[in-house]
Amino acid sequence: MIDDLRTLVEVESPSRDLDALGKSAETVASVIEGRLGGKAVLVDSAGGPHVNWSGGGTPRVLILGHHDTVFPLGTLARRPFLVEDGRATGPGVFDMLGGLVQAIHGLASLDDLSGVEILVTADEEVGSHASRALIEERALACGAVLVVEGAADGGGVKTGRKGCGTFEVSVTGRASHAGLEPAAGVNALVEAAHQVLAIAELGRPEVGTTVTPTVASAGTLDNVVPAAATVVVDVRVESPEEKERIESAFATLTPQIDEAVITVRGSVGRPPMPESAAAGLFAVAQRLLPGLEGRAVGGGSDGNFTAALGVPTLDGLGAVGGGAHADHEYLVVASMSERARLVAGLVDAIRSV
């Protein structure tokens, strides 16, 4: 497993870099074919190639993951793959190349792979816009989904996820000289400040809704009234009702300054993953691995899409470790075999029903 993990990590795969993602997809396909046999098909998309493999027969369970990472080309040179003191480090080891490797090796331990399907997408880290339809199609065809994203803190699986989305609020004003005629302008930065305060008030932490302005930009020069400003907002919700409320609130944002114009793009693109979707599979996982904990988390994954369809979905079956998206990302090597066996046991249990 460590050899295969090194192979995947050392082929960098930043989201949206189609050349890099093409090489990564070919490498993932090669590892799958080498361990499981058969043919892994590359499915081209605007977001890069996805990898789809089937063990034959009527599809019963979908192993779902992604091969894109958040790290730009060159990260590997600065932070190469390393196994030391019981930890594997390197870009993407925890999110989520380790989970892919564990799942593949878990499946390789089974005598029969019929009914098993693997889908490894190329654009999860940037919203899954080019893979969502395929994910939903294969989830419905299979009827159960095991998501090999990294485990929750402490090694638990993820039994629920918030819905999440990004909104971009653009303000259009009018430029003027800040010294000679400031009143002739329409200050987009000041309007954006009004909107940031109003947007921040949309959050309802008591019901799990967080609304967080994260990135802002405005202006061109220090002596020019800003004609444009942009605010990016991260949104997380636990219920469909809150999704609707938030989307409606963004759609009806109203300028506070005369002649300012507001344009909003975005939505809560990943629906909430209710814990009910994971309940049955989590019970099976606990029988296979006594003491296994389940946690609802704020981050989203492609499991949000499959759970929202009503397809039984268990997430966080991948690597035990931490530091997703950070330089200290790591995987606990000693846990790899146990997690591989857990995936294999779940596949057998699903096919026996």
Side-chain angles (χ1 to χ4, degrees), residues 175-182 187 189 218-227:
S176 65
H177 195 293
L180 296 178
E181 46 181 0
N187 196 314
L189 175 56
T220 53
L221 295 171
D222 59 3
N223 62 351
V224 179
V225 172

Side-chain angles (χ1 to χ4, degrees):
M1 283 193 284
I2 290 173
D3 288 343
D4 285 348
L5 181 58
R6 177 189 296 275
T7 296
L8 296 186
V9 170
E10 291 185 345
V11 179
E12 294 183 285
S13 54
S15 304
R16 297 194 175 100
D17 187 323
L18 299 187
D19 289 338
L21 289 168
K23 296 173 185 176
S24 173
E26 291 174 355
T27 305
V28 171
S30 176
V31 171
I32 292 173
E33 292 171 355
R35 298 299 176 185
L36 304 180
K39 177 66 176 176
V41 177
L42 301 189
V43 182
D44 288 332
S45 81
H50 315 308
V51 183
N52 194 203
W53 176 92
S54 171
T58 302
R60 298 291 305 281
V61 55
L62 178 66
I63 308 295
L64 181 58
H66 63 90
H67 67 98
D68 63 317
T69 70
V70 301
F71 303 102
L73 290 180
T75 302
L76 186 67
R78 177 173 55 84
R79 193 159 56 85
F81 180 79
L82 180 67
V83 178
E84 189 174 66
D85 298 328
R87 293 184 171 190
T89 55
V93 290
F94 177 68
D95 186 12
M96 62 165 291
L97 302 175
L100 295 179
V101 169
Q102 290 167 185
I104 292 166
H105 280 259
L107 294 176
S109 72
L110 300 175
D111 294 329
D112 176 19
L113 293 173
S114 62
V116 181
E117 188 168 332
I118 300 173
L119 177 59
V120 185
T121 64
D123 64 340
E124 192 273 346
E125 295 291 5
V126 290
S128 303
H129 302 294
S131 58
R132 180 174 181 175
L134 179 60
I135 291 166
E136 293 177 337
E137 173 196 315
R138 299 321 306 156
L140 288 168
C142 292
V145 178
L146 304 177
V147 185
V148 289
E149 289 277 4
D153 290 344
V157 292
K158 296 171 181 177
T159 54
R161 287 183 178 272
K162 291 184 178 182
C164 52
T166 302
F167 291 84
E168 183 180 274
V169 180
S170 299
V171 180
T172 301
R174 183 171 59 248
S176 65
H177 195 293
L180 296 178
E181 46 181 0
V186 176
N187 196 314
L189 175 56
V190 173
E191 179 60 51
H194 285 297
Q195 297 302 321
V196 165
L197 294 175
I199 289 167
E201 291 297 318
L202 295 174
R204 289 182 179 173
E206 69 277 7
V207 295
T209 300
T210 60
V211 180
T212 309
T214 54
V215 180
S217 61
T220 53
L221 295 171
D222 59 3
N223 62 351
V224 179
V225 172
T230 302
V231 178
V232 179
V233 186
D234 178 273
V235 172
R236 312 278 164 153
V237 299
E238 288 186 359
S239 69
E241 295 76 18
E242 280 296 277
K243 175 182 183 295
E244 292 177 7
R245 180 183 71 85
I246 290 296
E247 289 179 341
S248 175
F250 272 95
T252 56
L253 289 175
T254 303
Q256 301 299 302
I257 297 176
D258 290 343
E259 297 185 75
V261 177
I262 295 175
T263 305
V264 178
R265 294 190 304 169
S267 65
V268 181
R270 293 187 192 272
M273 174 183 167
E275 292 189 71
S276 58
L281 293 174
F282 179 49
V284 175
Q286 285 184 306
R287 291 196 295 271
L288 293 167
L289 189 59
L292 181 68
E293 295 183 351
R295 298 188 182 182
V297 298
S301 83
D302 288 335
N304 290 58
F305 298 134
T306 64
L309 295 172
V311 178
T313 300
L314 187 59
D315 204 336
L317 288 162
V320 175
H325 297 188
D327 280 353
H328 65 278
E329 180 183 22
Y330 70 94
L331 173 154
V332 178
V333 172
S335 68
M336 294 182 74
S337 294
E338 181 179 76
R339 302 298 276 204
R341 288 193 295 270
L342 178 59
V343 170
L346 282 164
V347 166
D348 259 351
I350 291 167
R351 293 186 302 180
S352 70
V353 175

